[in-house]
Amino acid sequence: MRLLVILAVVVALCVGALLLLPAGRALFEDTRDKLGKPAPVTPVGIRASAEVPGHPARNTTDGLNNSYWGAPAPGASVTYTFGKPFRMVDLLITNGPSTNPEDYHSQARALQVDLEVTTSDGDRQNKQLTLSDKPGAQTIPTGISDVKTVRLTLRSPVGLTSGRRLALAEVEFFQRS
């Protein structure tokens, strides 16, 4: 009888460890993300579903916060491809056409962005991001491993009137160093 109880406890512990392994690994990776210093990652390819003349999607990675990708309407997306898979710990998005407060309201801004990440094994992770309607970079912690492509789709525009376009100034990707 005693042997059966010990065996049952050992089996229960093994099953519990297997069930908790993904959560334990996620906690371990998140801890490593917070302890490391984020390092920038540059995409090797940028492709937009639509862009207005003079404001290509590549402006989102030019390092300048006074140039922008101009999207003609909500639902437009930009896809970033990376040369090798990496663990994306943070995503920085600079919404609008500029960080300058006077220029920020000159174009429309997306208040929500759909984030779709494709990993090296083809799995997709989706998140809906809510952005503040203010000039400046906004940091979004991500903690996603083996990132190969990132697609951002602009949603919920504010300030989109005739003659104005959705503007996204800068997108920056950071990996654990």
Side-chain angles (χ1 to χ4, degrees), residues 81-92:
T81 304
F82 298 91
K84 63 179 185 171
F86 69 101
R87 177 159 175 90
M88 184 168 63
V89 296
D90 287 321
L91 175 67
L92 258 66

Side-chain angles (χ1 to χ4, degrees), residues 55 86 93 105 120 131 147 177:
H55 298 282
F86 69 101
I93 296 178
H105 294 284
S120 58
L131 301 178
V147 172
S177 60

Side-chain angles (χ1 to χ4, degrees), residues 82-116:
F82 298 91
K84 63 179 185 171
F86 69 101
R87 177 159 175 90
M88 184 168 63
V89 296
D90 287 321
L91 175 67
L92 258 66
I93 296 178
T94 303
N95 203 8
S98 173
T99 57
N100 181 342
E102 292 83 34
D103 296 333
Y104 180 77
H105 294 284
S106 67
Q107 298 296 332
R109 289 89 50 210
L111 296 182
Q112 290 187 327
V113 175
D114 294 339
L115 169 69
E116 179 185 283

